[in-house]
């Protein structure tokens, strides 16, 4: 049954508009502005001081959010965003956190300006809540945003915004990951911008409506206050900055930051040759029981100082929870632009967006219509979009002698979701997302291996929570968490290794925990390599029922491999919701990064070193890299030359046939 765009839902959709049009549509408000002469008139020293102060304020927002939040996802894993925006909602600076979110906050602010200025009005001391990905603010409903307008002398000067992943906002399944869902009505309800703070006071009616949906309302209430506090701190610091340098000077710096980001990116693009680069990314399975594979196609064109991302040909939206909205599509582009193209450019997305165009057909899996299911958007179709953007941008950079050093092959190709819920060891309700795959393998570079379990390029300051933090916070006990051999993509430079976790329920008063699994990337590799590099391995999850794990631990033995455990093993498909009993064991193996260059060109000494360090197996050394090792682990040079010659001849024969 095809999804239908419900009549009237187009009102709750963001349409890309220039800032001048947003200014015209912001009824009921007087927006602060400066002239081009004001922007040009800021002296270099003042510009640098204020620019760095704005970056510091964004950092303070992040620190405040971490210190006040009670969620491990925020405090230990940095899955949140902090943004300072101008009066029209253009992003001036973003923190080094989840850069996917930096691509959607501006959408929500612009929509709020256009639709809330008269009724209920936007006034000093107000803040707005939004978790509607068709409007923006986040990529799925669990990305809950608090946006705060900043006024100066009666004029709307700018905005601050804090957003973080909330562990549960309702829906059919715990954690709001409805693995059997067909559309958005199975999931957490998306809420367009509503005024949750009025003149400095939390509106209890709106807060009650918000918290009522969650299985862990106290935690959600604490995170709400953390985001409000982060905005308060940012606004206090911005007010002090304005008092010291004047509103005109601070705003001129904000505008110049975006202008400089634009001009510097345009200059870099001019140094790159014009051309077209194409790629295809895949998303396997949109819901439990779905065995299909869907594609996201991209043709990226670089002409002069401009990029065009054309997603024409992408598959139509699908029943399930893995579509994403335009916010997710933008969230797949901006992290790669920031990390690959703008590593030496201030991160001012409001200026960077001026350098590229997006072509996408509404009603596709990465630009879906309401009410398509989007509960997994951020780590499904948005993530796959990021993969193909990474591939095309990396290929473009690879042909430039200097800028090629900035490319990175695709990092961890999918997000490994394991969500636990139930009663914790203290008897309190809990829901949590285990963020171990935050330690994904990073993609290889043109001159070096990818970082093993180094993280995700879309979250530069992403972290994996300590094993002890997870065990202290939740009723679980790790058997191991480690890097996994052969998980990085082979290449002249190897992709970073991924890892695995294996744990059991532990000390829950009701016995066991509820488990929701949603880990795609099993049907085919998704962390692709470049220039002949191989992709990383696929996702792999196993559930073992009725094991002897507890008996082994009681006897003083710690299992080191799945083969050490007795029990019934089930290799899992992409999605599952079940109960994890006291005697059960869950094993999950997330992905590494893609490799760069032909593996047969890798220095044999590096392969031997990888074998010693257990990054690469002896079997892969000979069968993939063509490197023969002596018994003592050193390279057998004649045997290696023969093995590589044989592998090349085999390739040639296969290509001929």
């Amino acid at each position: 049954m095809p999804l239908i765009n419900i009549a009237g839902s187009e009102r709750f959709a963001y349409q890309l508009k220039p800032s001048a049009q947003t200014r015209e549509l912001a009824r009921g408000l007087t927006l602060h502005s400066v002239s081009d002469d004001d922007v040009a008139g800021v002296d270099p020293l003042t510009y640098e001081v204020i620019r760095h102060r704005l970056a510091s304020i964004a950092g303070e927002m992040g620190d405040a959010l971490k210190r006040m939040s009670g969620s491990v996802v925020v405090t230990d894993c940095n899955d949140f965003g902090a943004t300072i925006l101008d009066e029209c909602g253009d992003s001036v600076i973003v923190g080094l956190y989840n850069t996917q979110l930096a691509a959607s906050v501006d959408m929500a602010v612009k929509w709020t300006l256009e639709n809330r200025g008269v009724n209920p009005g936007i006034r000093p001391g107000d803040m707005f809540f939004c978790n509607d990905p068709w409007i923006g603010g986040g990529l799925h409903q669990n990305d809950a945003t608090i946006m705060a307008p900043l006024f100066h002398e009666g004029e709307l000067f700018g905005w601050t915004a804090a957003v973080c992943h909330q562990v549960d906002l309702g829906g059919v399944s715990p954690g709001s990951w409805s693995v059997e869902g067909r559309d958005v009505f199975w999931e957490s309800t998306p809420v367009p911008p509503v005024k949750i703070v009025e003149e400095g006071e939390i509106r209890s009616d709106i807060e009650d409506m918000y918290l009522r949906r969650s299985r862990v309302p106290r935690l959600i209430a604490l995170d709400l206050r953390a985001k409000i506090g982060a905005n308060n701190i940012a606004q206090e610091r911005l007010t002090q900055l304005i008092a010291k340098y004047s509103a005109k000077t601070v705003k001129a710096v904000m505008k110049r930051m975006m202008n400089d980001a634009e001009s510097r990116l345009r200059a870099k693009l001019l140094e790159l040759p014009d051309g077209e680069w194409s790629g295809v990314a895949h998303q396997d399975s949109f819901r439990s029981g779905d065995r299909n594979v869907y594609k996201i196609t991209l043709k990226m064109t670089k002409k002069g100082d401009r990029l065009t991302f054309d997603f024409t040909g992408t598959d139509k939206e699908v029943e399930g929870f893995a579509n994403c909205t335009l916010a997710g599509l933008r969230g797949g582009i901006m992290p790669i632009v920031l990390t690959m193209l703008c590593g030496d450019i201030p991160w001012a997305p409001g200026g960077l967006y001026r350098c590229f165009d997006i072509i996408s057909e509404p009603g596709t899996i990465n630009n879906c219509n309401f009410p398509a299911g989007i509960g997994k958007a951020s780590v499904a179709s948005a993530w796959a979009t990021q993969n193909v953007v990474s591939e095309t941008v990396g290929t473009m950079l690879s042909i430039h002698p200097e800028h090629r050093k900035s490319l990175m092959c695709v990092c961890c190709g999918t997000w490994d979701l394991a969500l636990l819920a139930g009663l914790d060891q203290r008897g309190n309700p809990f829901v949590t997302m285990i963020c171990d795959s935050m330690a994904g393998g990073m993609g290889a570079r043109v001159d070096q291996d990818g970082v093993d379990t180094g993280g995700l390029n879309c979250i530069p300051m992403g972290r994996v929570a300590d094993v002890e933090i997870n065990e202290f916070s939740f009723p679980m006990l790790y058997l191991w968490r480690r890097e996994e051999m052969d998980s990085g993509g082979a290449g002249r430079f190897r992709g970073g290794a991924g890892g695995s976790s294996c744990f059991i329920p532990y000390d829950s008063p009701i016995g066991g925990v509820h488990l929701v699994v949603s880990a795609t990337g099993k049907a085919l590799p998704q962390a692709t390599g470049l220039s002949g590099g191989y992709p990383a391995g696929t996702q792999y999850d196993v559930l073992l029922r009725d094991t002897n794990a507890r008996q082994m631990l009681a006897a003083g033995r710690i299992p080191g491999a799945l083969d050490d455990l007795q029990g019934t093993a089930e290799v899992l498909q992409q999605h599952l919701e079940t109960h994890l009993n006291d005697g059960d064991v869950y094993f999950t193996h997330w992905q590494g990064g893609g490799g760069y260059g032909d593996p047969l060109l890798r220095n044999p000494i590096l392969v031997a070193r990888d074998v010693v360090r257990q990054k690469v197996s002896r079997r892969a050394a000979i069968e993939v890299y063509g490197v023969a090792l002596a018994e003592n682990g050193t390279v057998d040079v004649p045997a290696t030359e023969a093995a590589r010659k044989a592998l090349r001849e085999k390739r040639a024969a296969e290509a001929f046939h």
Side-chain angles (χ1 to χ4, degrees), residues 391 395 409-410 444 489-490 526-536 593-597:
E391 182 178 348
T395 306
C409 296
V410 176
Q526 295 191 324
T528 54
L530 291 177
S531 298
Y534 289 12
Y596 184 88

Side-chain angles (χ1 to χ4, degrees), residues 171-207:
V172 172
S173 300
S176 310
W177 299 85
S178 301
V179 298
E180 296 186 5
R182 302 282 170 158
D183 55 38
V184 75
F185 300 113
W186 292 64
E187 304 169 354
S188 173
T189 303
V191 177
V194 294
K195 188 181 294 188
I196 198 166
V197 176
E198 190 166 24
E199 297 181 357
E201 296 290 333
I202 296 177
R203 288 189 53 175
S204 59
D205 56 345
I206 302 298
E207 182 186 19

